[in-house]
Amino acid sequence: MDYHISNKLRRYNHLYREITAVYHEIAAKLGMTDSAATILYDICSFGDSLPLGEICRCSGLSKQTVNSAIRKLEQENLVFLQAIDGKSKKVCLTEQGKRYTEKTILQMMRIEDSIYSAWPQEDLEKYLEMTERFLYDLKEQVGQAK
């Protein structure tokens, strides 16, 4: 069957899968699941805590996957849940979690940041601009498809 997929889309999909595979390898080397690494990464991106709903939204993971991963992270004494209001909760790093993410997630973020810092500013801005445009266009197209 020929789905008439352009070479550009094939190339993009290949690169996306390769990048995802590298992040999977990193998580495995750190001894964590992809979902745990993603959750800890999201928390570290915003400080040392993040509302549970925001983790679901940012990570792209299902509520069930997020809840299962958080339960495991709680058992490992890396995070704890704290009530925000009557219904909402936030996920907070424990002191042990802060030390753990310093040695793992934050090291990975520093590597990513050093890669971006090495790019010419114009290239980085263009890359971010085009990625944002792709996201906006994709959301718009999906919204129109409903």
Side-chain angles (χ1 to χ4, degrees):
M1 223 191 228
D2 183 12
Y3 291 107
H4 303 290
I5 297 172
S6 71
N7 286 333
K8 292 174 198 141
L9 181 58
R10 287 180 207 277
R11 181 178 176 201
Y12 171 83
N13 287 334
H14 171 76
L15 292 170
Y16 179 80
R17 285 191 302 273
E18 288 289 319
I19 290 169
T20 301
V22 171
Y23 282 107
H24 171 75
E25 286 178 39
I26 293 168
K29 283 182 182 180
L30 296 174
M32 44 177 126
T33 63
D34 293 348
S35 53
T38 298
I39 290 166
L40 291 174
Y41 190 103
D42 287 345
I43 293 169
C44 289
S45 292
F46 293 93
D48 60 7
S49 68
L50 194 62
L52 188 54
E54 192 68 12
I55 290 174
C56 291
R57 192 189 67 73
C58 287
S59 69
L61 300 170
S62 71
K63 269 186 170 182
Q64 182 179 357
T65 299
V66 168
N67 287 328
S68 294
I70 288 173
R71 274 195 298 278
K72 187 170 186 297
L73 290 168
E74 282 180 303
Q75 290 169 355
E76 295 169 356
N77 194 33
L78 297 177
V79 303
F80 65 94
L81 292 173
Q82 184 178 61
I84 297 174
D85 57 34
K87 224 174 161 184
S88 301
K89 295 179 183 176
K90 67 179 178 177
V91 182
C92 306
L93 294 175
T94 62
E95 288 305 315
Q96 181 177 329
K98 290 174 186 177
R99 289 190 299 275
Y100 180 76
T101 56
E102 176 67 35
K103 295 184 297 188
T104 56
I105 301 300
L106 292 172
Q107 291 297 328
M108 181 173 50
M109 292 173 118
R110 287 182 187 108
I111 290 168
E112 293 168 323
D113 200 35
S114 73
I115 292 167
Y116 286 136
S117 294
W119 291 4
Q121 186 65 28
E122 184 178 303
D123 290 352
L124 178 58
E125 288 301 321
K126 187 67 171 176
Y127 173 76
L128 294 173
E129 178 185 309
M130 295 305 296
T131 302
E132 190 172 38
R133 181 175 164 192
F134 179 82
L135 175 60
Y136 175 82
D137 289 348
L138 183 61
K139 284 180 175 180
E140 187 175 272
Q141 292 286 327
V142 170
Q144 290 174 352
K146 288 183 179 182

